[in-house]
Amino acid sequence: MAVGSRRGSGPAGRGGPEGDVTRGTTNPNRLRRMDRWIAATHGPALRRHADPPVAVDLGYGAAPWTAVELLARLRRERTDVEVVGVEIDPERVAAAQPYARDGLTFVRGGFEVPVTGRPLLIRAANVLRQYEEPRVWPVWERLCGRLAEGGLLVEGTCDEIGRRHAWVALGPEGPRTVTFAARLGSLERPSDLAERLPKALIHRNVPGEPVHAFLRDFDAAWAGAAPYAPLSARQRWTRAVRALVGDWPIVDGPRRWRQGEVTVAWSALAPRD
């Protein structure tokens, strides 16, 4: 996870897994906000799936905490879900084996996603941040092509202890939404989340780009909601998001806003070129 420089051994079928080895930074409970969102929004698809659903934690890093936690959280939605931790570094795969258990396995691989069948979920957190922006789009296409019908790819970035997070949700057809999530007490303003934008958007936070306009409007709504700050940061966030609804396609509701989240249609934030 996070930024790295060592390369994997190349494309699958031509010498090894696809992708680059990352620095591997990870911490327990780092992806709790993303996991919580996945369980809430993708839980119904997990429960409807005819066979035991497979979820992939792609690029789990130097320690397997995120895969272990993903299994625990998803099994609250469906008890027979299986999680596969995929890492390109063989030493990390070997180090994770003591944590394998019923429903949790660890394998070496990359963007080819070397699991049997098609997963219903692929989570790739802090993996693509190291890539140049033009490389992100083919990876998205590759990963979406591995999804089962009704499957979901969640790709994004967070800080080291999971206080600030942003991610894109994609289906087999491509990007659907962008979600911003935070421990609200850590924010001075919503645009603080700009530093955690996914790679496809982080360099687009400049005037003239939709994501910049959204964060500008969010900051203005946050300032306008300042009278609610004495009640709580949650109340202020909720009022600020509510003020955006008329101008931006917010696709979630107050229940998610109270969690310190807001989800926007991808089409509204997509890069202009």
Side-chain angles (χ1 to χ4, degrees):
M1 303 170 82
V3 177
S5 58
R6 291 180 294 159
R7 290 195 59 80
S9 51
R14 292 188 291 165
E18 298 177 26
D20 299 352
V21 178
T22 64
R23 191 175 66 185
T25 304
T26 190
N27 284 299
N29 219 25
R30 185 184 187 187
L31 301 183
R32 61 193 179 279
R33 300 182 195 284
M34 182 183 274
D35 287 351
R36 197 163 53 203
W37 183 89
I38 289 170
T41 61
H42 201 47
L46 291 169
R47 294 189 291 272
R48 287 194 304 266
H49 201 59
D51 300 315
V54 174
V56 171
D57 187 11
L58 182 62
Y60 57 82
W65 318 131
T66 60
V68 172
E69 292 163 357
L70 183 63
L71 177 68
R73 288 174 173 132
L74 294 185
R75 286 213 158 175
R76 297 171 192 164
E77 304 300 320
R78 180 158 169 171
T79 57
D80 61 350
V81 67
E82 299 176 7
V83 170
V84 181
V86 176
E87 249 296 338
I88 204 166
D89 186 334
E91 294 180 3
R92 295 175 187 171
V93 177
Q97 295 307 322
Y99 296 88
R101 62 191 71 174
D102 176 47
L104 179 61
T105 56
F106 298 94
V107 300
R108 185 178 182 224
F111 299 136
E112 76 284 359
V113 189
V115 301
T116 301
R118 294 184 177 275
L120 198 62
L121 171 70
I122 300 174
R123 185 187 66 184
N126 303 301
V127 173
L128 296 185
R129 193 172 179 85
Q130 71 184 50
Y131 292 90
E132 296 298 323
E133 184 182 336
R135 294 185 66 188
V136 171
W137 308 94
V139 170
W140 277 2
E141 184 175 5
R142 182 82 163 103
L143 295 177
C144 287
R146 289 289 289 118
L147 290 172
E149 183 178 355
L152 186 71
L153 165 64
V154 182
E155 187 273 306
T157 304
C158 68
D159 66 2
E160 287 72 13
I161 58 174
R163 293 173 303 176
R164 301 178 182 182
H165 212 150
W167 60 82
V168 180
L170 307 92
E173 77 287 355
R176 294 174 176 170
T177 60
V178 183
T179 298
F180 301 85
R183 181 180 180 275
L184 297 179
S186 74
L187 287 182
E188 183 177 345
R189 60 184 64 88
S191 62
D192 291 349
L193 291 167
E195 65 184 17
R196 297 300 163 184
L197 284 167
K199 189 68 177 189
L201 293 174
I202 193 166
H203 299 303
R204 304 306 184 113
N205 185 33
V206 294
E209 287 284 348
V211 70
H212 181 271
F214 174 75
L215 290 172
R216 177 202 63 208
D217 288 359
F218 204 172
D219 278 355
W222 178 257
Y228 292 86
L231 299 177
S232 69
R234 178 180 295 179
Q235 289 279 355
R236 185 178 184 181
W237 175 273
T238 299
R239 294 296 302 190
V241 174
R242 194 179 299 278
L244 295 172
V245 169
D247 297 317
W248 293 93
I250 308 298
V251 301
D252 54 2
R255 178 176 293 184
R256 304 313 309 167
W257 305 343
R258 287 192 292 270
Q259 297 293 326
E261 299 171 10
V262 61
T263 298
V264 189
W266 166 261
S267 59
L269 303 187
R272 291 199 181 279
D273 55 33

